[in-house]
Amino acid sequence: MSRVNIGLALSALLLLVLHFALSLEANKNILEGAFFSSGSTIMSDGRAYPVFIRLQSHDNQVHYFEQINEGSQKFSFLMVSSFLGIANFLTNSIVGKDVLQDIPLRDRDIAFNYSYLSSFESSLTFYKFNVTPEASCFYIKELGRVWCLGAESSPDEMSL
Amino acid sequence: MQTVTELKPGESVAQVEAKSIVIRDIDIRRKSVFWPAQNMVVIHEHETQRKIDLGYSSSRILEILIDRADSIVSRDDIFAFAWPDRIVGQNSLSQAISTIRVILADEEHRAVIQTIPRRGYQFNSRFLACSAPTSSQVADSELASVQQVAVATLESHPNLPRAIVHGLRTKALFVVVAFLVLALVGRIEWGLWVQPNFVKEKEVEGLLTSLYTGVDAAAIKNLRASTGSVRQRMLDLLVAPGTVVFNTMHSFYEIVCINGSRIEFVTVHKSKLQTLTDEQLGRCLK
């Protein structure tokens, strides 16, 4: 076998390894387990609502639970692809009543985000960025939002 | 039979068409006699002779390489000399060189014709001698004797099936590699890789590490300017190192405080940013 053929064969082998590595990477979950964050949302009219977020991930599914004021809603996302900590998701059908019914959302940006997450097969692109080792932070391109999540849950009583 | 003389300096093969050129083999029992005018190589081996028809282009390639022995001949020069009226691809040249190497039994060592990467090819004059017939009779005799031997075509040359298989194998491997490269390029999520519409900037001051995120540099600049006073208040409130992410979500600002594995945030409408109390900021930072 000539040097050219040896080189080509080695290149083919290397490319196969890269394909295999890419397959592993593409199926790798960007989150695994339960993650939390909590805080408040202050609307344009000055009203402040406590917010609690829990995100649970397994396989290629992400379940996103958000409690705002007295209302809550669960959204579910299906991972379509991922690459080096960045992932594409599609929303599934929602579970529970529409959170928008419980709070008078005059602010269209907040309303749009809930509406977008509630719509079937909305695309969500997660850009993971490193902040601290304990926190998983994502920029959600379609919503313009930042989700930072940690392993520690906040106390149940949410106060403003 | 023939006398062997060295090529005279500057003497062109084309100028001495009547001459044949003896190419020595690494195996001293074998030699090749190149007849440029006849596009032919005669192989002398084990007291037998075989005639190989090189074809016009391969013959010209061998001719120009010998003509400029010990010099690097560029691919462009070879293309211009061997295919004067045609435009051919690199593969044609590589295939022709490969065939010549097989004929000269040089495919393994590549000592006679050397590939100079990215520059061209070079014929090693160590293997070169020029045989000039002392008379036309000698040349005629040589040719006559050649004509009497079994005329071996390219297909009947014992090394050529190997060359063909080698060539096919190279082509097949090349196709496989090209396919794998294209498939890999197609599989990579380039849209994710380049992270369009997302930039971030980090700033460290005192105990506070701030991270700004946004769709572009202008958005980050605006964000930094708008949240500067809040950031300063947070800096004053901090008693231990803390990390805060600032983001603009359309008409809202997101202020996310990272406290180890505990995350607190305030999402505030732009018009209410300055109404944030120290208590609210302190709760975020705690």
Side-chain angles (χ1 to χ4, degrees):
Chain A
M1 194 180 249
S2 72
R3 273 180 286 185
V4 172
N5 282 0
I6 290 170
L8 284 169
L10 288 175
S11 301
L13 192 65
L14 177 67
L15 284 162
L16 283 172
V17 171
L18 286 175
H19 272 278
F20 181 69
L22 186 63
S23 297
L24 287 180
E25 181 61 38
N27 292 314
K28 195 172 162 187
N29 293 327
I30 58 170
L31 279 171
E32 192 74 53
F35 297 88
F36 309 88
S37 75
S38 60
S40 59
T41 298
I42 301 168
M43 303 296 183
S44 59
D45 58 5
R47 293 188 197 188
Y49 298 104
V51 180
F52 171 78
I53 291 170
R54 175 171 177 158
L55 194 142
Q56 190 94 25
S57 176
H58 63 86
D59 302 326
N60 57 351
Q61 292 264 351
V62 170
H63 302 282
Y64 175 81
F65 172 82
E66 183 164 331
Q67 184 179 355
I68 177 165
N69 207 21
E70 297 300 318
S72 65
Q73 190 144 27
K74 184 200 144 195
F75 304 96
S76 175
F77 317 135
L78 178 70
M79 192 177 79
V80 181
S81 61
S82 76
F83 187 59
L84 300 176
I86 307 159
N88 268 329
F89 289 88
L90 287 176
T91 57
N92 283 332
S93 52
I94 61 165
V95 178
K97 63 180 179 178
D98 192 342
V99 74
L100 295 178
Q101 292 174 358
D102 290 332
I103 47 175
L105 286 178
R106 289 175 52 216
D107 294 297
R108 60 188 176 189
D109 295 324
I110 299 284
F112 170 81
N113 282 355
Y114 284 112
S115 175
Y116 189 86
L117 291 174
S118 304
S119 303
F120 183 56
E121 290 200 337
S122 294
S123 175
L124 292 170
T125 309
F126 284 46
Y127 296 148
K128 186 171 187 176
F129 60 97
N130 296 323
V131 181
T132 63
E134 298 94 345
S136 296
C137 286
F138 301 92
Y139 181 81
I140 317 299
K141 187 181 103 175
E142 288 77 6
L143 306 181
R145 278 191 74 177
V146 164
W147 283 350
C148 281
L149 302 148
E152 191 178 340
S153 175
S154 66
D156 285 335
E157 57 278 1
M158 289 186 289
S159 58
L160 297 176
Chain B
M1 280 285 287
Q2 64 178 10
T3 57
V4 177
T5 58
E6 297 298 324
L7 269 174
K8 293 171 187 169
E11 190 178 36
S12 160
V13 171
Q15 290 169 337
V16 285
E17 285 190 354
K19 287 183 182 176
S20 61
I21 297 154
V22 176
I23 301 165
R24 301 188 191 101
D25 193 352
I26 291 172
D27 182 352
I28 57 169
R29 293 166 299 182
R30 187 184 192 273
K31 69 175 182 181
S32 306
V33 182
F34 174 39
W35 295 83
Q38 284 76 31
N39 302 330
M40 182 177 74
V41 169
V42 179
I43 296 170
H44 299 252
E45 189 178 23
H46 304 304
E47 298 181 354
T48 64
Q49 299 174 6
R50 283 173 297 153
K51 174 190 165 191
I52 308 284
D53 292 316
L54 271 182
Y56 178 83
S57 296
S58 295
S59 185
R60 294 291 76 74
I61 292 169
L62 188 54
E63 186 176 341
I64 192 172
L65 289 174
I66 292 172
D67 207 8
R68 302 187 196 174
D70 291 334
S71 301
I72 298 168
V73 185
S74 71
R75 290 180 173 85
D76 288 344
D77 285 357
I78 296 174
F79 281 129
F81 191 69
W83 290 278
D85 302 318
R86 290 175 58 198
I87 296 172
V88 295
Q90 180 63 42
N91 283 347
S92 300
L93 175 56
S94 301
Q95 189 58 54
I97 292 286
S98 176
T99 304
I100 294 169
R101 280 178 170 145
V102 169
I103 291 168
L104 301 181
D106 183 44
E107 75 272 34
E108 188 179 347
H109 300 288
R110 299 188 174 197
V112 181
I113 297 175
Q114 295 157 333
T115 302
I116 313 298
R118 292 186 291 281
R119 296 181 64 188
Y121 298 93
Q122 180 172 296
F123 196 100
N124 188 343
S125 66
R126 189 162 60 88
F127 298 93
L128 191 61
C130 178
S131 65
T134 52
S135 68
S136 61
Q137 287 80 10
V138 174
D140 290 344
S141 167
E142 170 84 43
L143 274 176
S145 67
V146 165
Q147 284 162 358
Q148 286 169 8
V149 302
V151 175
T153 59
L154 279 171
E155 290 75 20
S156 63
H157 188 280
N159 282 333
L160 285 181
R162 259 181 63 200
I164 291 166
V165 169
H166 173 81
L168 286 174
R169 190 182 292 150
T170 303
K171 280 178 185 168
L173 278 168
F174 183 79
V175 167
V176 168
V177 168
F179 173 78
L180 289 171
V181 167
L182 289 174
L184 192 66
V185 169
R187 287 184 65 198
I188 291 175
E189 298 271 351
W190 295 105
L192 299 179
W193 176 271
V194 296
Q195 297 193 350
N197 303 319
F198 177 57
V199 288
K200 59 181 186 292
E201 272 184 32
K202 188 177 181 181
E203 183 182 25
V204 180
E205 185 180 351
L207 295 172
L208 183 62
T209 300
S210 305
L211 202 71
Y212 299 91
T213 58
V215 292
D216 54 29
I220 299 249
K221 189 178 174 187
N222 288 336
L223 178 63
R224 289 174 77 129
S226 306
T227 57
S229 59
V230 171
R231 187 180 149 280
Q232 188 57 49
R233 285 167 59 197
M234 295 180 100
L235 190 55
D236 294 340
L237 290 168
L238 272 177
V239 291
T243 303
V244 178
V245 180
F246 293 93
N247 178 55
T248 305
M249 186 188 70
H250 306 293
S251 56
F252 284 80
Y253 292 120
E254 291 182 303
I255 303 167
V256 184
C257 305
I258 316 285
N259 311 304
S261 58
R262 184 168 169 185
I263 314 294
E264 292 283 333
F265 63 87
V266 179
T267 303
V268 58
H269 192 270
K270 285 181 175 177
S271 63
K272 300 297 174 190
L273 181 67
Q274 299 309 326
T275 68
L276 282 175
T277 64
D278 282 354
E279 187 191 351
Q280 286 168 320
L281 294 177
R283 191 181 303 126
C284 184
L285 290 168
K286 74 180 178 185

